[in-house]
Amino acid sequence: MLTIEKLTSGYGKLTILRDLTMNIDAESVGLFGPNGAGKTTLINAVLGINPAWSGKIIFHGEDITGLPTHEVARRGIALVPQERELFPSLSVVENLELGAAFIPHAKDNWEDTLEEVYSLFPILKERAKQPAGTMSGGQQRMLAIGRALMAKPKLLILDEPSLGLQPSIVNELFTILHDMKKKIAVLVTEQNVRESLRAVDRGYVLENGMIAMNDSSDKLANDPHVLEAYLGI
Ligand SMILES: Nc1ncnc2c1ncn2[C@@H]1O[C@H](COP(=O)(O)OP(=O)(O)OP(=O)(O)O)[C@@H](O)[C@H]1O
Ligand SMILES: [Mg+2]
């Protein structure tokens, strides 16, 4: 579905991603690594937010390298960014509607998708009329995920979705992610490696802008390096 081939990217003179190659099929994939490893940089390069200096990004057979973000979104990749980007003064339902507004294949039957999002996150239905900015942190995270789903993506990318959430909500979030992967492909970056390894099929470990490991969740969960560096054992 998504193939990244020998991607190099960075900021100014600073190279962050070096010859990075990875592949995501119809599955759920984790992207782990320490702070500053380049996880957000990688995601932003896929979305056309950061430039690819060299290498290729292929989605469903099409070269999308260098396409503007809205064109990438139209092709079926949705991002839930590390920093929430909601419209705080608009209501919950208005934010959700905007998630579909600029995506041709999502716009026409957005009300059906809305019901699906409401069944995933009932709190959003309860609070449909509430200004997004007055929702709690966890609720806003759910709204951000709901809004991304409104675009009917083939691939949903989540950048640190559990950051700042209390453990019970994190649990709920990973259960939802686990269920979601039956329908769409998911790429998720996470500090919470333990929980997310339960929710994903496979994971990449990114260190210093390079893939250090690439293995099934089971293998990663038992790997001595992962245990020591990411699971604190
Ligand atoms: N706009 C920018 N200009 C210059 N350097 C940047 C910029 N954004 C990120 N960086 C640098 O790029 C490196 C990778 O950052 P990135 O945000 O991709 O890491 P990350 O793996 O997502 O980390 P975290 O787990 O903290 O979110 C860091 O050294 C960071 O300081
Ligand atoms: Mg990041």
Side-chain angles (χ1 to χ4, degrees):
M1 180 177 294
L2 179 75
T3 303
I4 299 168
E5 274 175 24
K6 290 181 158 286
L7 179 71
T8 303
S9 182
Y11 305 95
K13 285 183 180 158
L14 193 64
T15 305
I16 304 292
L17 305 176
R18 300 158 205 277
D19 262 350
L20 191 142
T21 293
M22 68 187 277
N23 188 58
I24 299 166
D25 287 315
E27 59 186 345
S28 177
V29 175
L31 179 61
F32 310 115
N35 295 126
K39 303 180 296 294
T40 299
T41 304
L42 171 62
I43 285 170
N44 286 348
V46 172
L47 267 293
I49 298 164
N50 290 345
W53 289 352
S54 65
K56 269 191 191 158
I57 301 163
I58 315 276
F59 187 61
H60 280 282
E62 185 190 2
D63 188 345
I64 61 163
T65 323
L67 281 187
T69 305
H70 66 273
E71 287 293 339
V72 176
R74 279 178 171 226
R75 280 159 177 77
I77 304 182
L79 170 67
V80 181
Q82 190 164 356
E83 305 294 329
R84 272 166 267 140
E85 281 173 17
L86 298 169
F87 296 99
S89 60
L90 296 185
S91 69
V92 165
V93 63
E94 285 165 340
N95 270 277
L96 290 171
E97 189 178 353
L98 278 171
F102 303 102
I103 310 290
H105 70 268
K107 200 166 62 178
D108 293 340
N109 47 2
W110 72 274
E111 278 161 314
D112 297 338
T113 319
L114 184 66
E115 286 310 315
E116 288 173 27
V117 169
Y118 280 163
S119 65
L120 217 48
F121 302 110
I123 187 74
L124 299 182
K125 187 171 190 174
E126 271 171 46
R127 303 296 177 84
K129 300 276 165 59
Q130 185 172 323
T134 63
M135 298 281 275
S136 78
Q139 292 166 343
Q140 288 192 39
R141 193 63 54 84
M142 290 174 195
L143 178 53
I145 297 170
R147 192 177 61 173
L149 290 173
M150 288 298 294
K152 288 187 153 284
K154 299 187 185 96
L155 171 65
L156 178 67
I157 303 182
L158 304 117
D159 198 356
E160 310 278 359
S162 79
L163 208 67
L165 300 185
Q166 71 176 64
S168 65
I169 308 270
V170 171
N171 241 319
E172 194 182 328
L173 178 74
F174 282 112
T175 305
I176 288 168
L177 285 184
H178 187 268
D179 292 346
M180 226 155 54
K181 76 178 188 194
K182 290 170 197 148
K183 291 189 187 159
I184 58 175
V186 173
L187 174 64
V188 57
T189 82
E190 260 301 328
Q191 308 266 333
N192 193 334
V193 177
R194 190 184 306 275
E195 287 298 325
S196 49
L197 276 176
R198 290 195 194 118
V200 299
D201 303 314
R202 214 156 58 77
Y204 287 89
V205 176
L206 188 65
E207 289 174 357
N208 298 315
M210 288 183 286
I211 302 293
M213 299 177 73
N214 164 23
D215 221 327
S216 68
S217 301
D218 289 347
K219 292 246 175 68
L220 288 178
N222 294 301
D223 181 90
H225 174 66
V226 174
L227 286 170
E228 196 196 326
Y230 301 102
L231 297 173
I233 293 170

